[in-house]
Amino acid sequence: FQGIFVLGLPYALLHSGYSGLFLIVLAAALCCYTGKILISCLYEENEDGQLVRVRDTYEDIANACCKKLYPKLGGIVVNMTQVIELIMTCILYLVVSGNLLSHSFPYVPVTGKTWSVIACVTLLPCVFIKTLKIVSKLSQLCSLVHFIIILVVMTYCLTQIHQWSWAKFRLSFEFDDFLVSVGVIIFSYTSQIFLPTLESNMKNPGEFRCMLNWTHFFACVLKTTFALTAFLTWGEETKEVITDNLPSFLQTVVNLCLLTKALLSYPLPFFSATEIVYACISRGNHSNYGSPLLSLGVRGSFLLLTLLMAMFIPHFALLMGLTGSVTGAAMTFLLPSLFHLKLKWKKLSFLEKCADISVFILGFLCSLAGIVCSIKGLLEVFE
C-alpha cells in the first residue's frame, strides 16, 4: 500500500483541499471492501454449510462468471488487464530508477535511458525467483526503506511546525485538478491484483479479513498524517513528488532511498505477471515449473520487454495515467463488485447489493473521468 504514489499525496491535497482528507479515508474503506468481496468469490458453501475454496485466482473467478457465455472469456479479459497493469508498473519503476540515478549523479555523463539499463542489470536476479517467499522478503526491505523516507520527510516537516497554517487548505477546487487528486489517492491503495495469491500463501487464510482491516487502517492513518504534515509545511509550493521540496542536502539521501525502494518494489509485479503468463503458456500446469528453460525464458523476455518499453515509450507519465484509469479502476472497483453480484446474488442482502452496485458506479465514473483527462493531456502534449 505504501508505494511511490504516497509521495504524491501532499500534492493531491493541494488540489483537493479538505475533501482530499475525506477521500483518503473513503478510498481505504472502499479498497478494503472490494478486497474482501473479491476473496469471498474464491469460496462456495458445501453441503454442510462450510466455506470451501473452489477457485484459486482472479482468472478462475472471471471464468466462473462467464461460463454460460464463453467459459474462458472472463479469464482472458482479466489476465490481459492484469498483465498490462503489471507491465506498466514494472516500467514505471525502471523509469523512476533511471531518473533518480541521473538526478543523484548529475555530473556523470550518462543519460536517463542508460541509467535505466544499469538499473535493469541489477534486477537480473529476478529471473530466478520462483516463490512468493523471496518476494515477501524483498517487499519487507522495501517497506523498511519506505519508512526511512517517510521519517526523513516528516522529521524535517516537524522542524518547520512554526510555519504551519490551516489557511493553506482550499475550500474550492478545479474539477480537472480534483480528478488528478482522486486518481493519486485511489491508486495509492490498489492491491487487488495480488490478493488471491497473497491469501492462498498465508499460513492461516482465516485471518485474511482481519489482516486486510488492519493494513488498510494503518495505511490510512499513515497516508493522512504524512500528506497533512507535508502540505501544512509547504502549502502552495507543494510539488508533485514531495521529496523535491526538501533542501538539497537531504534530496540526495532521499533520492538514493527512493532508488532502493523502486528496485525492491520491482520483483512483486514482475513475479505476478510472469506467473500469469507462464500459467497461460503451460495451460495452468505451472505449480512445479516442469520446464525450467520455459520459465526462465518467460521471465527473461519479460525483463527485456519492460526495459525496452521504459527506454522508448514517449510521454510515459500520461500513458501510465491512461492505463491506470482503465486497468486500475477495473481491477479495484468494477470487476470485484461485478463478480460478487454475479456469483453471490442469491445470498446477498439488499444492503450488500446496494453497496456493490454503488462501488461499481463509482469505479465506472472514476475510470471514465481518468480516461478523459489522460487523453486530453496526451492531445495537449502532441499538439
Side-chain angles (χ1 to χ4, degrees), residues 206-380:
E207 296 179 350
F208 178 83
R209 295 174 70 89
C210 180
M211 177 276 292
L212 214 58
N213 288 335
W214 281 110
T215 49
H216 278 81
F217 171 76
F218 283 118
C220 179
V221 170
L222 181 59
K223 289 177 195 291
T224 304
T225 305
F226 176 73
L228 191 58
T229 303
F231 177 72
L232 288 174
T233 301
W234 286 289
E236 294 292 331
E237 297 179 1
T238 300
K239 296 181 180 179
E240 289 188 31
V241 180
I242 198 61
T243 52
D244 290 340
N245 283 103
L246 292 171
S248 57
F249 71 92
L250 284 177
Q251 274 196 34
T252 302
V253 176
V254 172
N255 280 345
L256 291 176
C257 288
L258 282 172
L259 171 65
T260 304
K261 175 177 172 53
L263 295 176
L264 289 172
S265 298
Y266 185 94
L268 179 57
F270 176 85
F271 177 81
S272 300
T274 52
E275 283 284 283
I276 294 169
V277 173
Y278 186 69
C280 293
I281 294 174
S282 60
R283 296 182 181 180
N285 185 28
H286 65 290
S287 59
N288 57 1
Y289 284 84
S291 175
L293 288 178
L294 177 61
S295 61
L296 284 174
V298 169
R299 297 194 204 103
S301 300
F302 186 88
L303 187 66
L304 181 61
L305 174 65
T306 57
L307 173 62
L308 292 175
M309 293 180 72
M311 293 178 65
F312 298 113
I313 288 183
H315 312 301
F316 177 77
L318 289 172
L319 287 173
M320 186 71 186
L322 179 60
T323 304
S325 296
V326 178
T327 61
M331 301 300 291
T332 305
F333 295 120
L334 299 178
L335 294 182
S337 55
L338 185 62
F339 292 162
H340 194 235
L341 287 169
K342 173 67 176 176
L343 295 174
K344 308 289 185 178
W345 179 265
K346 295 181 180 179
K347 298 178 182 179
L348 295 179
S349 66
F350 175 75
L351 289 177
E352 288 174 324
K353 292 177 182 177
C354 289
D356 286 354
I357 294 171
S358 298
V359 169
F360 181 86
I361 294 173
L362 179 62
F364 176 78
L365 293 176
C366 287
S367 180
L368 182 62
I371 291 171
V372 171
C373 288
S374 298
I375 292 177
K376 182 180 176 182
L378 282 170
L379 291 176
E380 289 176 355

Side-chain angles (χ1 to χ4, degrees), residues 51-220:
L51 289 176
V52 179
R53 203 176 203 268
V54 296
R55 305 176 187 100
D56 294 319
T57 62
Y58 214 139
E59 178 187 4
D60 293 339
I61 297 172
N63 285 332
C65 292
C66 298
K67 62 181 180 181
K68 292 183 178 179
L69 179 64
Y70 180 70
K72 296 184 178 180
L73 176 63
I76 293 171
V77 172
V78 165
N79 282 337
M80 287 180 61
T81 305
Q82 287 187 102
V83 171
I84 289 172
E85 182 169 343
L86 292 166
I87 284 177
M88 297 303 280
T89 302
C90 289
I91 296 169
L92 176 62
Y93 287 135
L94 286 178
V95 172
V96 167
S97 298
N99 290 338
L100 288 170
L101 281 167
S102 62
H103 290 151
S104 300
F105 306 102
Y107 303 109
V108 179
V110 175
T111 63
K113 290 182 179 181
T114 305
W115 279 123
S116 292
V117 174
I118 294 172
C120 187
V121 171
T122 66
L123 293 169
L124 282 174
C126 291
V127 173
F128 303 99
I129 294 177
K130 293 185 178 182
T131 67
L132 197 62
K133 282 187 176 182
I134 298 175
V135 177
S136 70
K137 297 296 183 184
L138 295 174
S139 295
Q140 194 171 22
L141 291 174
C142 178
S143 298
L144 178 61
V145 174
H146 176 82
F147 282 113
I148 292 174
I149 297 170
I150 296 296
L151 182 62
V152 170
V153 175
M154 292 191 67
T155 300
Y156 177 80
C157 290
L158 290 173
T159 64
Q160 307 297 313
I161 196 169
H162 58 279
Q163 299 179 359
W164 289 10
S165 173
W166 285 96
K168 296 177 181 179
F169 268 95
R170 294 182 180 184
L171 292 175
S172 60
F173 47 78
E174 294 292 331
F175 185 68
D176 286 353
D177 292 336
F178 178 73
L179 288 178
V180 172
S181 301
V182 172
V184 171
I185 291 170
I186 289 177
F187 295 122
S188 70
Y189 282 105
T190 55
S191 62
Q192 276 68 8
I193 282 181
F194 309 110
L195 293 185
T197 302
L198 177 62
E199 194 258 3
S200 66
N201 281 273
M202 289 179 69
K203 287 185 177 180
N204 184 4
E207 296 179 350
F208 178 83
R209 295 174 70 89
C210 180
M211 177 276 292
L212 214 58
N213 288 335
W214 281 110
T215 49
H216 278 81
F217 171 76
F218 283 118
C220 179

